[in-house]
Amino acid sequence: MPDQKDNQPKELPWLEKLTFLLMLGLVTILFLVLLKPFFGAIFWACIIGLIFYPLYRRLLAAWGERSNLAALATLTAGVLIGIVPTLFVFGSFLQEGASLYQRLQNGDLDFAQYIQRIREAFPVIQNFLERLNLDLNPLQEQLSGAALAASRFLAQNAVQFGQDTLQFFVSLGLMLYVAFFLLRDGQQLVEMLVRALPLGDERERLLFAKFAEVARATVKGNLVVAVVQGSLGGIIFAILGIPGALLWGVVMTLLSLIPVVGAGLIWAPVAIYLFAIGDWVQGLILTAFGVGVIGLVDNILRPILVGRDTKLPDYIVLLSTLGGFAVFGMNGFVVGPLIAALFVAFWEIFVREFNSPATPPTD
C-alpha cells in the first residue's frame, strides 16, 4: 500500500511568500488610495512632528516622561508660532485681493496702461523689440487678463473661504490630531519601519535621519527666507506708498520660496514702472533696497539655512524646488528637495557598498 504522504502535494514556500508579498503590496496600495484625500494634512503633520520633535524631547525630559502632556504643549507652541499668524495674514491677503478685483472691475487699475507708460519712457526697449519682431500688445492683453483672473480668484475664494470654514477646520484638526501622535509615538513608528523594511537597519536609519534633516532644513530655511523677504518687500512698498503693500508682501513671500528669482518678480517690474513715470527717487530706493537688502537675504540666509543643512548644491536645490512646484503644487518646495536628498543618499549608499573598488588579493 503506497504511503499516503507521497500523495499529498508538496509545499511550495516560495509560492506562499510570493502570494503574500503580492497581497501585501495590493493592500498597501489600497490603503494609500484611502489616504490620498488627506495627503496634505498627513504630510504637514509629519513636517510639524519633525520640526518640533526636539522641543518635545526637551519637555519630555523636563516633565518626567509625561508624553501626552509634552506632546500637547509642543503642539500648542506650534499652533501659536505658525498657524495663528498664517491664518491672520491669509485672511488679510484674501481681503486685499477682493479689493484689487473691485478696482480692476471699476477701471481704477489698468495694467495695459502701465505697460504703455513703460514703452513710452524707454523707447530703446521698444526699438529693440521691434527689431526682433516682438509685439507687446498681446502681452498687454494677457497681463490685464491674468491680473483680472488672479484678483477674481482671490475675491471668489474670500467668499469661498468663509463658506468652507468647516471643511478647513476639519482638515486643520486632522493635521493637528495626526501630529500629536507622531510627536508622541514617532520614535516607535520609526523603529517599526526599520524592522519592517528590508533595506538593512543601518541604511534605513541613515535614510530616515537624512529625511528628517532635509525636511527640517528645507521648511525652516525656506520659510524663514520667504517670510523675511516678503516682510521686507511689504514694508518698503508701504513706505513708498505703493497700493496693496500687504497683498504684494504676501505674494513676494510665496514667490520667495523659489530660489534665485523669488521676490524680484514683483519688486523689479514695480521699480521699472516707477522709473517710467518719472519717480526716479522712489525707483532708485526700491531698486537699491531690492538688490541690497531683499536680494542679500536670499544670497546669505538661504545657503546657510538650506544648502548647508541639506548638503545639496545650490543648483540641485533650485531644480528640485521648481520641479516640486510643477508636480506637487505648494507642497513641492518641501517634497522636491526631499526627493533630491533621498536620491543623493541612495546613490551614495550604492557607490559606497555596491560599487566600491575591489581590493587586490594579498600573497
Side-chain angles (χ1 to χ4, degrees):
M1 185 174 181
D3 192 355
Q4 294 182 354
K5 293 183 178 180
D6 295 336
N7 297 329
Q8 294 179 354
K10 295 182 180 179
E11 294 184 358
L12 298 175
W14 63 269
L15 183 58
E16 294 178 5
K17 291 180 180 179
L18 178 61
T19 304
F20 176 78
L21 290 176
L22 290 175
M23 293 301 298
L24 176 64
L26 177 62
V27 171
T28 302
I29 292 173
L30 291 176
F31 181 69
L32 292 177
V33 171
L34 289 177
L35 297 182
K36 184 180 178 181
F38 314 106
F39 169 77
I42 295 172
F43 174 76
W44 283 105
C46 295
I47 296 300
I48 290 174
L50 288 172
I51 291 176
F52 290 97
Y53 187 74
L55 175 61
Y56 166 75
R57 295 300 303 175
R58 294 191 189 97
L59 294 178
L60 193 64
W63 292 348
E65 301 299 322
R66 297 180 180 178
S67 58
N68 288 329
L69 181 60
L72 183 60
T74 303
L75 206 56
T76 303
V79 170
L80 294 176
I81 292 172
I83 296 178
V84 172
T86 301
L87 290 178
F88 172 77
V89 173
F90 184 67
S92 302
F93 172 69
L94 290 177
Q95 290 179 359
E96 288 218 15
S99 175
L100 176 64
Y101 174 68
Q102 191 64 38
R103 295 174 66 187
L104 286 170
Q105 286 283 76
N106 297 335
D108 297 335
L109 293 176
D110 187 358
F111 282 91
Q113 181 182 359
Y114 296 157
I115 294 180
Q116 185 62 33
R117 296 284 295 273
I118 294 175
R119 294 171 64 178
E120 294 174 355
F122 301 104
V124 175
I125 298 178
Q126 176 67 22
N127 295 333
F128 177 73
L129 293 175
E130 289 178 355
R131 290 181 181 178
L132 296 178
N133 294 323
L134 295 177
D135 187 8
L136 284 180
N137 291 325
L139 177 61
Q140 291 181 206
E141 298 175 359
Q142 293 174 5
L143 184 58
S144 299
L148 188 61
S151 59
R152 184 189 299 118
F153 173 80
L154 293 176
Q156 292 173 349
N157 277 271
V159 178
Q160 192 71 21
F161 179 71
Q163 295 175 347
D164 295 341
T165 301
L166 178 60
Q167 181 180 355
F168 170 78
F169 279 104
V170 167
S171 299
L172 179 63
L174 176 63
M175 180 186 71
L176 296 176
Y177 179 78
V178 175
F180 172 84
F181 287 101
L182 289 176
L183 283 169
R184 193 190 68 176
D185 305 326
Q187 190 63 39
Q188 292 87 336
L189 290 174
V190 170
E191 293 299 327
M192 181 183 69
L193 288 173
V194 167
R195 292 197 304 270
L197 295 175
L199 298 177
D201 290 355
E202 182 181 353
R203 300 190 198 103
E204 291 159 9
R205 294 184 191 281
L206 174 63
L207 293 172
F208 279 123
K210 187 67 174 177
F211 180 89
E213 180 183 49
V214 173
R216 291 194 191 102
T218 302
V219 174
K220 291 192 296 185
N222 282 331
L223 287 183
V224 167
V225 172
V227 170
V228 171
Q229 286 191 305
S231 300
L232 291 172
I235 289 171
I236 193 62
F237 273 35
I239 292 175
L240 296 177
I242 298 172
L246 176 61
L247 174 67
W248 297 120
V250 174
V251 173
M252 281 187 276
T253 298
L254 297 175
L255 290 176
S256 295
L257 295 174
I258 305 174
V260 182
V261 287
L265 293 174
I266 299 298
W267 65 257
V270 175
I272 293 174
Y273 176 74
L274 291 175
F275 287 127
I277 63 176
D279 289 341
W280 289 90
V281 175
Q282 288 189 330
L284 288 172
I285 292 174
L286 182 57
T287 302
F289 192 87
V291 175
V293 179
I294 299 177
L296 199 62
V297 168
D298 187 81
N299 294 331
I300 293 178
L301 285 184
R302 196 182 299 274
I304 294 175
L305 297 176
V306 181
R308 183 186 64 185
D309 292 338
T310 59
K311 299 178 178 62
L312 292 174
D314 291 342
Y315 65 91
I316 294 293
V317 174
L318 173 61
L319 293 175
S320 61
T321 302
L322 294 176
F325 275 121
V327 177
F328 300 101
M330 283 302 300
N331 295 329
F333 84 94
V334 181
V335 179
L338 278 176
I339 295 175
L342 291 177
F343 170 81
V344 172
F346 267 102
W347 275 100
E348 287 178 348
I349 292 174
F350 173 78
V351 171
R352 184 178 67 246
E353 298 186 13
F354 296 93
N355 202 27
S356 57
T359 55
T362 58
D363 294 334

